[in-house]
Amino acid sequence: MRRSRGFAAALALSLAGTGAGAVLGLVPQAAAITPPVAFTADALSTWQPNGVVWALAEAGGTVFVGGTFSAVRPPDGLGGAEQSAVNFAALDAATGAPTSCHLSFTVGGGTATVRALTLSPDKQTLYAGGYFGAVNGTPVSSLAAIDVATCTVKTGFRPAFAATVRALAVTGDTVYAGGDFLTVAGQPRQRFAAVDATDGALRPFTADADEPGRAVEVTPDGEHVVLGGDFFTVNGTNTHALAVVDATSGALTKTYAGFIETNSVVKDIATDATGFYTANEGTGGGVFDGRIALNLGDFNQRWRDTCLGATQAVLPYQNVLYSASHAHDCSSVGEYPDGQRHHLLAQPTTSVGKLGWAPDTNDGIGEGIGPRVMTVGSKGGVQYLWVGGEFTTVNGSAQQSLTRFASTGDTGAPTVPVATAASFRPGEAQVRWRTSLDLDDSALTYRIYRNGSGTPIATVAADSLFFKRPQASWTDTTVAAGQSYTYRVTATDAAGNTSALSATASVTVPTSVDAYPDRVRADGAQLFWRYDDASLPNVADSSASGNQNGVHLNAPALRQTPGAVSGASTAIGFNGTDTRVYGDQRQTIGGSYTIETWFRTNTTRGGKLFGFGNNQVRGSSQYDKHIYMTNDGRLVYGVYTGATRTITTSASYNDNQWHHVVATQGPGGMVLYVDGAQKGTLAVTTHENYAGYWHAGGDSLGAWPNPPTSEFWAGQLDETAVYPSVLSAAQVQNHYALATAPADSVVLVQAAEDTYANAGAPDGNYGGSSSLAVRGTSLYTSYLRFNLPAAPAGTVLKSASLSVKTSTMSGAGTADTVSVVPVTGAWTEAGTTYNNRPATGAVALGSFAGVPDGSAVHTTGLDTAALAGALGTSYGLALTSPGTDALWLWSSEAAANEGTPQLTLTFGAP
């Protein structure tokens, strides 16, 4: 429709050189985008028409623009006066500014328009089709030839088309046209025709269609012409919207009866060396709106992309098919569900899967279609993808009907990660974040920074697309029990563009295992939403795999207290009207699964607590594997097998207390548990099989049994988990018991006395010193006394650790192992010297395996049983070492000790 035969294949991407000259929008060299994408998503400054762009073509670094408009103006914000441009403009490919070529396409009656532009193979002649009667005053009839070098009409080319020409293709001697016409030069030619490329004389080619032609393309070998449009017959033979004919006679070579839905049409056709591609638009239900790839050898289908959203243009370039549409539903090809419109997409020419290139426009003026046409222009070693249509914004900024993207100069940084951190056991902290969005880079690099350091502690690579942004995570295994840490994360694309640092994520590492979340992870949860997030819009996944994050919709209430589980975990609150959480990862659910959540409510309007559905932000049209509440507070667990199959509790649970609900399905059927007890079973082992997303707080319910007033949940949820297996009754009961057990309590005990003995000063006392020292030869031994509390009622000591802090002096660290041993003799801080130092036990309670230089806190675990036996007493510890490398620590008297030496004692249920 807009490209000469083989044009896309002939262009070569070069990363050497830059655009010459400089006025507007020249692109700097040095860019990197995720292959095989060839263009950035950063829109360049481009002059803009005041109407709709229907056609684009390029020759010698000039891009020709055709459409329905009267002027072009500078990009928004640059200033300057608009210029007259009557349905045509010529712009510099590298700057986006007008050239000296000015042509006016006019008509005596009605509205003139340019609908098609294409170049001769030698790029010396520009052919323009549409509805017009003159070009710069020279009479023509809806098809004209322009000399590119002089920007003048070729008066010897005088075909006569009686109606609008919508599509053009050209070989060395023939111009093929498609459109609304029924005659050419007074001879019958219905919707398709061919004329001589030099003088416009009518060719014998006859491919008469019963409805308008919208696309025409010549195969690379020149032997066939591919036709597209609204038609149902060509030359009297059934073939809807698509046909292949002989390039000389127009006789049918390949027909496509029943191949494309009757309420869909072909808007564009493009070819490369391997095949041809169609852009399709439909009206009404059951339409085909996507793209088709067909082989050149047999003209049969290679693949079909069934995304919905009126595809207007396709452009194959370097093994990637770029498309212009308003695709809003790609669920049929395993991608995003019905929702937001996406106007520019890229995919391999070999498959339907989308690539990481997604700049966007809006629908714009006119028919509200958005982009309608694309071409590639080259200048100064840089390639430019031009896009025209009826949009009024590009990437959220004002820009009308025309924009362009370059092969170099990627300047857009990824979005800032939203990071969280959690720790469920000593020695581990999980840092996680929703993968960032970059419109031209799907492979990003994430750097994790700890405790404000300027050097990353870890680097993680992860992929994301605009519709697929799984959670990425990294586990820090160098953390110490009882200590707090902060983390920040950045995202960097292939060009080196780096996001700002994420907000700080803080975590305190427990001194003993956090029983409830640790058990959920150990039992195999593949999704675990704890709802401890402090900010919108993400829900972190705390499962071991850590990639199924959720997304808040309409701002549910965060960090509600108290949560369902004893301890610091918080809950999430839903308003029962429009707030919910949806999963970020599309998936199918196997024959065995478990869903689990805690809930609290006093609603009398019911609602869905948790379930599976085929959409994200909109109500699902397929939905089951869900738990909902009736208006009177009873719980319903149901699946769909062609009919709704449900288990309903007899009791009500809208008493504003926390309750635990678990639903399982597997080879043994369906089981529903509440508060650890089985409440019902059903011998149903199947459910509806579809791809979808998990939802918390609401989704469609339709006419399910005992439907509540509201499909949205008004109340709180906590600790939501999904397992790819059936939890046993014992596991369910264990989860309930762990969550309701008394919370662990942590007691910090600072040293009541501390000193050290020095063999070099046998009578010296260091009780008032700010330092402590440890060495084997010559001997330094440090002594610490702690007044241990008794265990709180109903608890036992679950763990104990000792923290010390190295001093700032050079060489304060040690390469030797430092042991922590009990003090068995009597001593006081004020009276201890080397000569009267107390005796110590032989069995170490803990140890430091070397301590690096630099003032920092270091922690080691201690023998819990030994300290448990000393609870409620004054207890002494000594630090000893066998080597000659001294360790220097701050004492309790030092201003910089940060509360060290210090014991951390964790008490919990036995």
Side-chain angles (χ1 to χ4, degrees):
M1 179 166 150
R2 299 165 305 283
R3 294 165 301 282
S4 61
R5 172 167 55 92
F7 170 66
L11 287 172
L13 175 63
S14 169
L15 295 180
T18 60
V23 179
L24 171 67
L26 287 178
V27 179
Q29 194 62 18
I33 45 187
T34 303
V37 171
F39 303 98
T40 79
D42 303 317
L44 302 177
S45 296
T46 307
W47 279 58
Q48 47 194 328
N50 62 353
V52 177
V53 171
W54 297 99
L56 294 170
E58 185 270 350
T62 297
V63 173
F64 304 105
V65 182
T68 310
F69 50 84
S70 61
V72 292
R73 66 185 186 276
D76 282 25
L78 287 188
E82 71 175 21
Q83 298 181 9
S84 175
V86 182
N87 303 313
F88 178 88
L91 305 179
D92 186 285
T95 68
T99 70
S100 60
C101 177
H102 299 282
L103 299 172
S104 295
F105 288 74
T106 58
V107 68
T111 302
T113 184
V114 175
R115 292 299 180 111
L117 294 170
T118 194
L119 273 299
S120 60
D122 62 8
K123 293 202 173 185
Q124 299 302 305
T125 303
L126 172 68
Y127 294 93
Y131 179 68
F132 47 83
V135 179
N136 281 3
T138 299
V140 293
S141 184
S142 293
L143 180 59
I146 311 298
D147 181 76
V148 172
T150 62
C151 189
T152 58
V153 178
K154 289 189 172 185
T155 57
F157 181 81
R158 294 293 300 273
F161 283 81
T164 303
V165 173
R166 297 182 179 275
L168 293 173
V170 63
T171 64
D173 59 4
T174 303
V175 178
Y176 297 90
D180 300 348
F181 50 85
L182 300 177
T183 64
V184 179
Q187 301 298 311
R189 291 292 190 274
Q190 297 180 16
R191 280 85 183 202
F192 294 99
V195 299
D196 185 275
T198 302
D199 60 12
L202 186 63
R203 297 286 198 186
F205 177 91
T206 302
D208 290 340
D210 61 334
E211 295 289 345
R214 297 185 181 274
V216 58
E217 190 78 4
V218 182
T219 57
D221 61 8
E223 297 296 323
H224 297 91
V225 179
V226 187
L227 311 177
D230 301 7
F231 52 82
F232 290 87
T233 65
V234 172
N235 291 338
T237 299
N238 290 334
T239 181
H240 175 52
L242 185 66
V244 181
V245 299
D246 181 82
T248 302
S249 66
L252 281 159
T253 300
K254 177 76 172 180
T255 60
Y256 294 91
F259 183 68
I260 294 173
E261 281 74 358
T262 57
N263 53 351
S264 296
V265 301
V266 170
K267 297 297 292 287
D268 187 25
I269 300 171
T271 62
D272 63 11
T274 66
F276 64 95
Y277 309 85
T278 68
N280 304 271
E281 176 186 84
T283 302
V287 301
F288 173 56
D289 263 354
R291 294 155 290 283
I292 303 174
L294 301 103
N295 299 315
L296 286 175
D298 55 12
F299 304 122
N300 288 330
Q301 178 175 296
R302 182 192 308 162
W303 51 257
R304 179 179 293 225
D305 185 333
T306 54
C307 288
L308 294 175
T311 306
Q312 303 297 307
V314 285
L315 174 61
Y317 182 72
Q318 295 189 345
N319 302 316
V320 172
L321 185 68
Y322 298 89
S323 60
S325 69
H326 55 249
H328 58 84
D329 185 354
C330 287
S331 57
S332 62
V333 293
E335 296 172 337
Y336 55 91
D338 192 14
Q340 180 182 346
R341 291 183 168 193
H342 301 277
H343 296 84
L344 295 169
L345 299 173
Q347 61 199 106
T349 54
T350 55
S351 68
V352 301
K354 305 305 180 293
L355 298 170
W357 184 81
D360 205 12
T361 72
N362 65 355
D363 290 344
I365 59 178
E367 297 177 44
I369 292 293
R372 287 185 175 274
V373 62
M374 298 184 293
T375 196
V376 173
S378 178
K379 190 169 184 180
V382 177
Q383 281 65 50
Y384 300 90
L385 174 63
W386 285 69
V387 178
E390 58 193 76
F391 47 85
T392 58
T393 66
V394 179
N395 291 341
S397 299
Q399 176 70 21
Q400 183 169 347
S401 300
L402 197 60
T403 190
R404 60 201 178 96
F405 308 93
S407 60
T408 65
D410 181 11
T411 60
T415 57
V416 179
V418 178
T420 61
S423 182
F424 308 114
R425 56 176 51 241
E428 292 182 7
Q430 184 190 50
V431 186
R432 54 277 174 99
W433 59 95
R434 188 189 190 197
T435 46
S436 296
L437 174 62
D438 191 292
L439 295 179
D440 47 32
D441 284 283
S442 56
L444 300 177
T445 299
Y446 299 89
R447 293 178 173 85
I448 301 99
Y449 300 84
R450 188 173 79 176
N451 291 347
S453 171
T455 301
I457 191 173
T459 300
V460 174
D463 291 348
S464 58
L465 296 166
F466 69 90
F467 60 88
K468 187 178 182 181
R469 296 174 59 188
Q471 179 174 289
S473 63
W474 172 76
T475 299
D476 188 350
T477 58
T478 65
V479 294
Q483 298 301 306
S484 296
Y485 298 86
T486 61
Y487 299 91
R488 302 182 78 180
V489 182
T490 63
T492 303
D493 67 15
N497 300 307
T498 299
S499 74
L501 283 162
S502 71
T504 299
S506 302
V507 64
T508 298
V509 181
T511 56
S512 63
V513 171
D514 195 348
Y516 183 85
D518 191 67
R519 176 45 52 191
V520 170
R521 286 158 58 96
D523 283 344
Q526 64 179 10
L527 176 154
F528 187 18
W529 296 343
R530 302 204 72 201
Y531 306 116
D532 295 333
D533 314 278
S535 61
L536 302 170
N538 304 323
V539 179
D541 176 15
S542 294
S543 70
S545 59
N547 65 358
Q548 293 205 46
N549 55 299
V551 180
H552 299 115
L553 184 63
N554 296 323
L558 306 183
R559 298 190 63 79
Q560 302 292 288
T561 57
V565 176
S566 300
S569 182
T570 60
I572 190 169
F574 298 97
N575 63 12
T577 303
D578 62 359
T579 57
R580 58 174 166 162
V581 171
Y582 62 84
D584 218 9
Q585 184 164 308
R586 191 172 189 263
Q587 58 190 291
T588 56
I589 306 303
S592 295
Y593 64 88
T594 298
I595 53 181
E596 172 182 42
T597 194
W598 288 78
F599 68 93
R600 182 171 70 172
T601 187
N602 60 1
T603 184
T604 57
R605 301 178 71 246
K608 183 182 289 192
L609 285 71
F610 190 75
F612 195 70
N614 68 340
N615 214 313
Q616 288 179 306
V617 299
R618 299 186 179 184
S620 297
S621 59
Q622 293 175 285
Y623 41 91
D624 75 334
K625 297 174 281 294
H626 53 206
I627 300 169
Y628 61 92
M629 179 174 278
T630 63
N631 287 347
D632 61 4
R634 292 176 296 146
L635 295 175
V636 182
Y637 163 43
V639 300
Y640 186 74
T641 62
T644 58
R645 309 300 302 273
T646 59
I647 303 171
T648 304
T649 65
S650 58
S652 296
Y653 297 94
N654 55 346
D655 56 3
N656 212 30
Q657 300 297 313
W658 279 112
H659 296 283
H660 180 231
V661 59
V662 177
T664 71
Q665 186 180 31
M670 300 167 59
V671 184
L672 176 65
Y673 302 88
V674 181
D675 294 339
Q678 187 182 111
K679 297 299 180 181
T681 63
L682 195 62
V684 175
T685 61
T686 61
H687 52 77
E688 189 171 8
N689 185 25
Y690 57 93
Y693 309 85
W694 290 109
H695 300 80
D699 193 17
S700 302
L701 276 170
W704 276 67
N706 300 308
T709 300
S710 173
E711 294 180 335
F712 287 89
W713 165 253
Q716 295 177 339
L717 295 180
D718 200 3
E719 308 296 327
T720 300
V722 177
Y723 306 78
S725 59
V726 173
L727 291 186
S728 68
Q731 288 175 305
V732 172
Q733 292 162 5
N734 186 33
H735 288 200
Y736 179 68
L738 288 173
T740 55
D744 289 354
S745 60
V746 176
V747 178
L748 304 179
V749 184
Q750 295 183 7
E753 293 185 279
D754 54 18
T755 187
Y756 73 97
N758 178 2
D763 295 319
N765 173 261
Y766 299 93
S769 173
S770 63
S771 296
L772 300 171
V774 184
R775 186 171 62 192
T777 306
S778 61
L779 185 138
Y780 296 146
T781 299
S782 288
Y783 304 95
L784 316 171
R785 188 191 307 281
F786 298 93
N787 295 323
L788 300 182
T795 69
V796 297
L797 183 66
K798 298 178 68 176
S799 68
S801 61
L802 171 68
S803 297
V804 294
K805 185 179 182 182
T806 46
S807 74
T808 54
M809 67 180 291
S810 178
T814 180
D816 298 331
T817 295
V818 174
S819 297
V820 183
V821 297
V823 177
T824 58
W827 65 282
T828 65
E829 176 183 291
T832 298
T833 67
Y834 175 79
N835 285 333
N836 68 1
R837 65 190 186 277
T840 58
V843 178
L845 305 178
S847 64
F848 298 91
V851 177
D853 280 350
S855 184
V857 175
H858 299 275
T859 301
T860 183
L862 300 179
D863 185 319
T864 304
L867 268 75
L871 291 175
T873 70
S874 177
Y875 191 66
L877 296 173
L879 302 179
T880 65
S881 171
T884 58
D885 187 11
L887 171 68
W888 289 92
L889 305 172
W890 293 120
S891 75
S892 59
E893 281 83 2
N897 69 356
E898 294 186 358
T900 60
Q902 178 175 272
L903 288 178
T904 301
L905 306 178
T906 301
F907 298 94

